[in-house]
Amino acid sequence: RPARCRGERGQPRKTRREGCRTGKLTFPTVIGIAASRQRALDLAAEAAAAIAPFGEPAASLTALASWIVRRRT
């Protein structure tokens, strides 16, 4: 299967390949999986830097953004 349509086998996601079947435009189908992941990491880092001045109250949002972009499901 094309890399842009790949999903993790065994993952309980009913829409794993739905975008490929329907021709839906997504970041991975337009710019590729690696570029999409990098863009997500860059945006999470940018967001973390933007809220860093708020100190400890921003820590949970920074952790959440990091978790979201690093998860595999």
Side-chain angles (χ1 to χ4, degrees):
R1 66 188 185 236
R4 70 180 187 278
C5 296
R6 124 179 122 206
E8 299 296 323
R9 289 186 188 266
Q11 294 298 322
R13 294 178 4 186
K14 69 176 185 176
T15 60
R16 185 175 83 167
R17 294 186 200 164
E18 185 174 330
C20 291
R21 284 194 309 266
T22 63
K24 179 180 176 183
L25 290 179
T26 63
F27 262 76
T29 59
V30 174
I31 66 172
I33 292 172
S36 294
R37 285 191 177 140
Q38 187 58 54
R39 178 76 172 138
L41 289 168
D42 293 345
L43 289 172
E46 184 180 327
I51 62 174
F54 294 103
E56 185 59 32
S60 61
L61 289 175
T62 300
L64 177 62
S66 178
W67 176 79
I68 288 170
V69 298
R70 285 176 169 63
R71 69 192 178 111
R72 291 290 182 188
T73 59

